Amino acid sequence: MSRSSRDRVVDFRSRRSCADCSLRSVCLPAGLARGELQQLDQFVQARVPLDRGDVIFRAGDPLDYIYVVRTGSVRTVFPGSEGDDQVIGFHLPSELVGLDAISANAHQCDAVALERTSVCALPLGRLERLAAEIPALQRQFHVMISRQISHDHRHLVAVGRRTARERLALFLHALSERLESGGYSGVDFHLSMSREDIANYLGLALETVSRLLTKLAEEGVIRVERRRVRIVDPDALARIAGRPLSQPNDRPPDHSSVH
Amino acid sequence: MSRSSRDRVVDFRSRRSCADCSLRSVCLPAGLARGELQQLDQFVQARVPLDRGDVIFRAGDPLDYIYVVRTGSVRTVFPGSEGDDQVIGFHLPSELVGLDAISANAHQCDAVALERTSVCALPLGRLERLAAEIPALQRQFHVMISRQISHDHRHLVAVGRRTARERLALFLHALSERLESGGYSGVDFHLSMSREDIANYLGLALETVSRLLTKLAEEGVIRVERRRVRIVDPDALARIAGRPLSQPNDRPPDHSSVH
DNA sequence: CGTGAGGTTGAAACCACTCAAGAAGGGTGG
DNA sequence: CCACCCTTCTTGAGTGGTTTCAACCTCACG
């Protein structure tokens, strides 16, 4: 378990630069000129791909980097004593990880890869310094932070005032949308997280999640086979999830609308 | 959209400047030199004191300002159709309000004063521009944003994995700490929010909150009289609230679980 | 003094949890 | 390649913490 993929310090440069990255338009480089982009590129560190279970940082670790998920997915967990941890969020490509660390200058939660995952590491100090020079970068950084807050708030609504069934539907619905906006299929996808993770995230028992997934499948809303999920009836799912909790009119100007 | 209390633009300068403000050291001016502080001061707008129920902004309103609570308290609510709103947070002095608006350039929730309240309004654009010039301001802005994220995460833990009793204890405990760090008494204070607000915030029924408050009072942990709360036994309260979610590595594992 | 909003208290119903057992992969070593 | 184990997931039955429904209380205010 100890030295899984860490030893392979092959400088695995699948990511040549931000300019070549498919996330360019939704990630920090959004709106940057070529020269500015190169400045950013200078200190963006691509990490060796992480394997399932690999730890990016742990609660208490000093804050050195803010991370962006490039591919794969990351789970952040607020550690409690005796394994009653709380899953705070799942992070998909283009999402920032570690923002809650800035205030205390140390990470508040653990971040773990849920599958084969690659992340970009950004030294916060340098990022801030460059953001001070490039307004567009500063703007985009703030937008991405705000997106995180918005997302957390929507999740709070889900956990606070919804039934188990609604929470699960909302979870699947939101996941579907996020995957789609990241260029993946929002109809047929793989859950990188376990039932236990989902349950914990939604404030439910894992048995409840399992039961409800089965139920939704019986009703013809989705199809489930292990971690493979297919959304058969998106409208029904949206209906169960409740009225949309917000209008994500958060898209960049050049929207090739997926509707 | 609705500019209910916006119209009363009586230039009520009870706040002379950031330099004179008691929140100086925990608010945006933290760490700023005198000259820098004056630059900030130029566009910080003090608003007429708001009364209970006055609206600062509503979901959908264009993002013009980010707000800081100076005195009083503010409730942010994620509006749902048919009054099944969700209270997202209560904001006390020195806390930012409206951060989730940056990504969509429009507010995502309603912000309402819970009592006589004064806020400072900061034009986001100018704040960002000045932050680009003054590293200490940029830093502090990010710290305050991060604080908000941290706080939301801790609340998520509370709502997700705690019993009603624990949630309420945690709420009172956290409120007490926040009040104290703001210079108010953390032992004897006034709840500016109704039972309904508290219940909604904690994902509970208001009857449950009422019952549990009574119970905690019967047990001698607190004293309650209408909205006046006195914490009689802070240790007991902390114990019920569970391991402190605020400090990561603070005290040894607490094996006396209450179940 | 009515009147109503906000709060308390009681009883019954229910949703989700816990406990428990079994099924279904996915590894791993023989 | 098979047997075995272990993790993950599913399914069932019973319990219980919270909610819901409903009545009553109590201030504040006109």
Side-chain angles (χ1 to χ4, degrees):
Chain A
M1 177 58 165
S2 43
R3 57 204 173 87
S4 43
S5 67
R6 285 294 170 61
D7 298 337
R8 307 185 300 149
V9 192
V10 188
D11 195 319
F12 188 94
R13 292 260 165 219
S14 73
R15 186 200 84 100
R16 306 202 202 300
S17 72
C18 289
D20 298 330
C21 182
S22 63
L23 298 173
R24 190 179 59 254
S25 65
V26 288
C27 191
L28 282 169
L32 261 56
R34 172 168 285 113
E36 295 169 339
L37 207 145
Q38 283 172 347
Q39 288 183 275
L40 176 62
D41 239 348
Q42 280 177 3
F43 60 79
V44 174
Q45 303 184 16
R47 290 293 172 83
V48 172
L50 303 162
D51 278 328
R52 175 175 182 77
D54 282 355
V55 173
I56 301 173
F57 55 77
R58 288 199 182 284
D61 286 355
L63 165 58
D64 299 316
Y65 301 97
I66 293 286
Y67 299 87
V68 187
V69 179
R70 185 144 45 87
T71 63
S73 49
V74 171
R75 174 189 62 204
T76 46
V77 180
F78 208 106
S81 32
E82 299 205 18
D84 68 337
D85 302 343
Q86 170 70 41
V87 173
I88 295 296
F90 302 113
H91 300 259
L92 302 186
S94 89
E95 297 178 350
L96 292 169
V97 185
L99 291 173
D100 56 355
I102 300 176
S103 62
N105 217 36
H107 288 287
Q108 308 288 300
C109 53
D110 300 347
V112 179
L114 283 169
E115 59 192 312
R116 178 145 270 242
T117 293
S118 58
V119 298
C120 297
L122 302 135
L124 179 63
R126 297 198 60 176
L127 177 59
E128 283 181 328
R129 252 171 280 139
L130 189 59
E133 290 173 28
I134 308 175
L137 178 61
Q138 187 195 41
R139 196 89 254 286
Q140 182 62 9
F141 183 42
H142 291 165
V143 164
M144 289 176 75
I145 292 174
S146 176
R147 223 178 257 160
Q148 163 84 50
I149 296 176
S150 269
H151 181 265
D152 289 346
H153 285 181
R154 262 177 268 127
H155 182 219
L156 234 104
V157 177
V159 174
R161 287 233 100 44
R162 300 287 197 254
T163 64
R165 179 182 167 81
E166 289 170 326
R167 287 184 216 180
L168 186 60
L170 208 43
F171 171 72
L172 291 173
H173 185 71
L175 193 60
S176 166
E177 282 193 340
R178 282 159 78 194
L179 285 168
E180 204 145 86
S181 85
Y184 299 89
S185 167
V187 176
D188 191 345
F189 51 87
H190 179 82
L191 295 173
S192 59
M193 61 295 279
S194 68
R195 303 288 192 269
E196 183 171 21
D197 286 339
I198 298 173
N200 188 309
Y201 177 62
L202 296 176
L204 299 171
L206 77 93
E207 294 96 324
T208 304
V209 169
S210 181
R211 264 185 266 270
L212 289 174
L213 280 175
T214 305
K215 193 123 182 275
L216 286 174
E218 283 171 358
E219 294 170 2
V221 179
I222 59 175
R223 259 173 54 81
V224 187
E225 192 183 345
R226 292 188 55 74
R227 296 201 173 174
R228 192 103 228 145
V229 173
R230 172 177 252 289
I231 296 180
V232 179
D233 189 343
D235 293 338
L237 188 67
R239 212 176 313 120
I240 297 166
R243 34 261 165 271
L245 293 170
S246 83
Q247 305 294 34
N249 51 348
D250 174 298
R251 308 288 152 107
D254 83 77
H255 55 62
S256 48
S257 192
V258 197
H259 219 87
Chain B
M1 222 171 254
S2 61
R3 37 200 63 160
S4 50
S5 66
R6 257 350 139 47
D7 299 334
R8 307 187 296 155
V9 190
V10 189
D11 195 319
F12 187 95
R13 291 260 164 222
S14 74
R15 185 200 81 101
R16 307 202 202 300
S17 72
C18 288
D20 297 331
C21 182
S22 62
L23 298 173
R24 191 177 59 254
S25 63
V26 287
C27 191
L28 282 169
L32 262 56
R34 171 166 287 112
E36 296 169 337
L37 206 145
Q38 283 173 347
Q39 288 183 275
L40 176 62
D41 239 347
Q42 281 177 1
F43 60 79
V44 174
Q45 302 183 18
R47 288 295 171 85
V48 173
L50 303 162
D51 279 329
R52 177 176 181 75
D54 281 356
V55 173
I56 302 174
F57 55 77
R58 287 198 184 282
D61 285 357
L63 165 59
D64 299 316
Y65 301 98
I66 293 285
Y67 299 87
V68 187
V69 179
R70 186 143 46 87
T71 63
S73 48
V74 171
R75 174 189 64 203
T76 47
V77 179
F78 210 107
S81 33
E82 301 199 19
D84 68 337
D85 301 345
Q86 169 69 45
V87 173
I88 294 296
F90 302 114
H91 300 259
L92 302 187
S94 90
E95 298 177 350
L96 293 169
V97 185
L99 290 174
D100 56 356
I102 301 177
S103 63
N105 217 37
H107 288 288
Q108 308 289 299
C109 52
D110 301 347
V112 180
L114 284 168
E115 60 194 310
R116 179 145 270 243
T117 293
S118 58
V119 298
C120 298
L122 301 135
L124 179 63
R126 296 197 60 174
L127 177 59
E128 284 181 329
R129 250 171 282 141
L130 189 59
E133 290 173 29
I134 307 175
L137 178 60
Q138 186 196 42
R139 196 90 253 289
Q140 182 62 9
F141 184 41
H142 291 165
V143 164
M144 288 175 76
I145 292 174
S146 176
R147 223 178 257 160
Q148 162 83 50
I149 296 177
S150 269
H151 182 265
D152 289 346
H153 285 180
R154 261 177 268 126
H155 182 220
L156 232 101
V157 177
V159 174
R161 288 232 102 41
R162 301 285 198 256
T163 65
R165 180 181 166 84
E166 288 170 327
R167 286 184 216 180
L168 186 60
L170 207 45
F171 170 73
L172 292 173
H173 185 71
L175 192 61
S176 165
E177 281 193 341
R178 281 158 79 192
L179 286 167
E180 203 143 85
S181 85
Y184 300 89
S185 167
V187 176
D188 192 344
F189 51 88
H190 179 82
L191 294 174
S192 57
M193 62 294 283
S194 67
R195 303 288 193 266
E196 183 172 19
D197 285 339
I198 298 173
N200 187 310
Y201 177 62
L202 296 176
L204 299 171
L206 76 92
E207 293 96 325
T208 304
V209 170
S210 180
R211 266 185 264 270
L212 289 174
L213 280 174
T214 305
K215 193 127 181 271
L216 285 174
E218 284 171 359
E219 295 171 2
V221 179
I222 59 176
R223 260 173 54 80
V224 187
E225 191 183 346
R226 294 187 55 73
R227 295 200 173 176
R228 192 103 229 143
V229 173
R230 172 176 253 288
I231 295 180
V232 178
D233 188 344
D235 293 337
L237 189 68
R239 211 177 312 120
I240 297 166
R243 33 257 164 279
L245 297 168
S246 30
Q247 291 98 8
N249 42 3
D250 192 62
R251 59 186 66 173
D254 176 56
H255 58 283
S256 65
S257 56
V258 192
H259 261 302

